Amino acid sequence: MDMATIENRASTGNSVAGDTFTQLSEPSGIYIQVVKPLLDLLVGLSLLLFTSPLLLIVAIWIKIDSKGPVIFKQQRYGKNGRLFNIYKFRTMYVDVPKEGRSPISGEDPRITSVGRILRKCSIDELPQLFNILRGEMSFIGPRPEQKSIVEAEYTDWEWQRFRVTPGITGLWQISPERIYPIHDNLQHDFKYAEEISWRMDIKIIWGTVMVVIRSNTV
């Protein structure tokens, strides 16, 4: 089955569980099953130790800026459809809905003043290092979607994106479509699951660095 077919079915939302699920088995190989998880563990532990002073400073900053907990956690679907709690620095006020789609354009009124800065610099994602060390996430992979959206809207076909470990960054995050909802652009996740390799991961890491630099210099 070629990527054009995958992207077409993902975009039309057709439910094709049965034989399609068997055709789209879990990706395998030494890099995927051994090297990538080992790199996640080693790099994740190193970054956690290196950024620990920054984590403390950000935690104090959030606490001073607005009431509520420092860490935001939310149930997300991970590999093979297993639920886990994703961790982030809290960037929204505590008295607003935490689930649902973010506005496509304009400023999100749910986000605090500190939260805007943390999101712009992607610092709010740092607590996900704990998710990586727990094996629930990888540095690179499909973004884990909210539990409520998956259970309310996902077709059997869209569940295929859970064949691989979710990540902090991925093809969607470095694509022009990143300004639109993840759910409307699942073709990037299907492409990653089909073509995952160390070359693609390096490309995504470089693309992520460029996106962060551009977002903080324009």
Side-chain angles (χ1 to χ4, degrees):
M1 181 176 297
D2 58 25
M3 281 306 304
T5 302
I6 292 174
E7 292 178 6
N8 179 63
R9 289 186 175 180
S11 62
T12 56
N14 290 338
S15 178
V16 289
D19 62 336
T20 301
F21 186 85
T22 60
Q23 291 181 46
L24 296 176
S25 58
E26 180 180 332
S28 61
I30 294 178
Y31 174 71
I32 297 171
Q33 296 176 310
V34 179
V35 178
K36 186 176 170 69
L38 182 59
L39 285 174
D40 282 334
L41 179 61
L42 295 177
V43 176
L45 183 58
S46 299
L47 283 178
L48 185 60
L49 294 174
F50 179 75
T51 61
S52 55
L54 176 61
L55 296 176
L56 178 60
I57 293 171
V58 172
I60 295 172
W61 193 17
I62 293 172
K63 204 66 179 177
I64 293 174
D65 178 67
S66 61
K67 66 177 182 180
V70 168
I71 298 297
F72 168 79
K73 68 178 182 178
Q74 186 182 65
Q75 281 198 315
R76 300 287 178 98
Y77 273 98
K79 186 177 180 180
N80 297 322
R82 289 194 295 267
L83 282 169
F84 71 96
N85 284 318
I86 191 173
Y87 301 109
K88 296 184 178 185
F89 278 124
R90 180 177 59 83
T91 59
M92 296 191 293
Y93 295 103
V94 294
D95 55 351
V96 297
K98 300 302 186 297
E99 296 203 4
R101 302 186 185 283
S102 298
I104 295 177
S105 61
E107 293 190 343
D108 190 335
R110 299 175 300 173
I111 302 176
T112 65
S113 56
V114 169
R116 295 188 198 284
I117 298 173
L118 297 181
R119 288 193 175 197
K120 186 175 179 61
C121 301
S122 299
I123 294 176
D124 62 309
E125 309 282 1
L126 282 178
Q128 287 166 51
L129 290 172
F130 291 102
N131 290 121
I132 290 175
L133 295 179
R134 289 162 58 96
E136 298 162 334
M137 290 182 65
S138 172
F139 279 103
I140 304 169
R143 193 67 186 153
E145 185 59 277
Q146 297 176 37
K147 179 176 182 286
S148 60
I149 292 178
V150 172
E151 295 181 353
E153 303 181 23
Y154 266 40
T155 64
D156 293 329
W157 175 257
E158 290 164 321
W159 273 79
Q160 305 302 319
R161 71 194 298 262
F162 301 127
R163 293 186 299 135
V164 295
T165 303
I168 294 178
T169 187
L171 284 178
W172 171 76
Q173 286 91 333
I174 65 172
S175 73
E177 290 80 26
R178 65 180 177 275
I179 62 174
Y180 302 111
I182 300 174
H183 183 70
D184 294 337
N185 294 277
L186 296 186
Q187 71 272 15
H188 299 291
D189 295 339
F190 286 107
K191 178 179 176 66
Y192 182 76
E194 288 296 302
E195 302 178 12
I196 182 173
S197 68
W198 65 268
R199 292 182 181 86
M200 178 173 283
D201 280 357
I202 291 176
K203 173 185 174 182
I204 292 172
I205 291 172
W206 176 252
T208 301
V209 171
M210 292 297 99
V211 167
V212 172
I213 291 175
R214 284 195 296 268
S215 67
N216 286 282
T217 56
V218 296

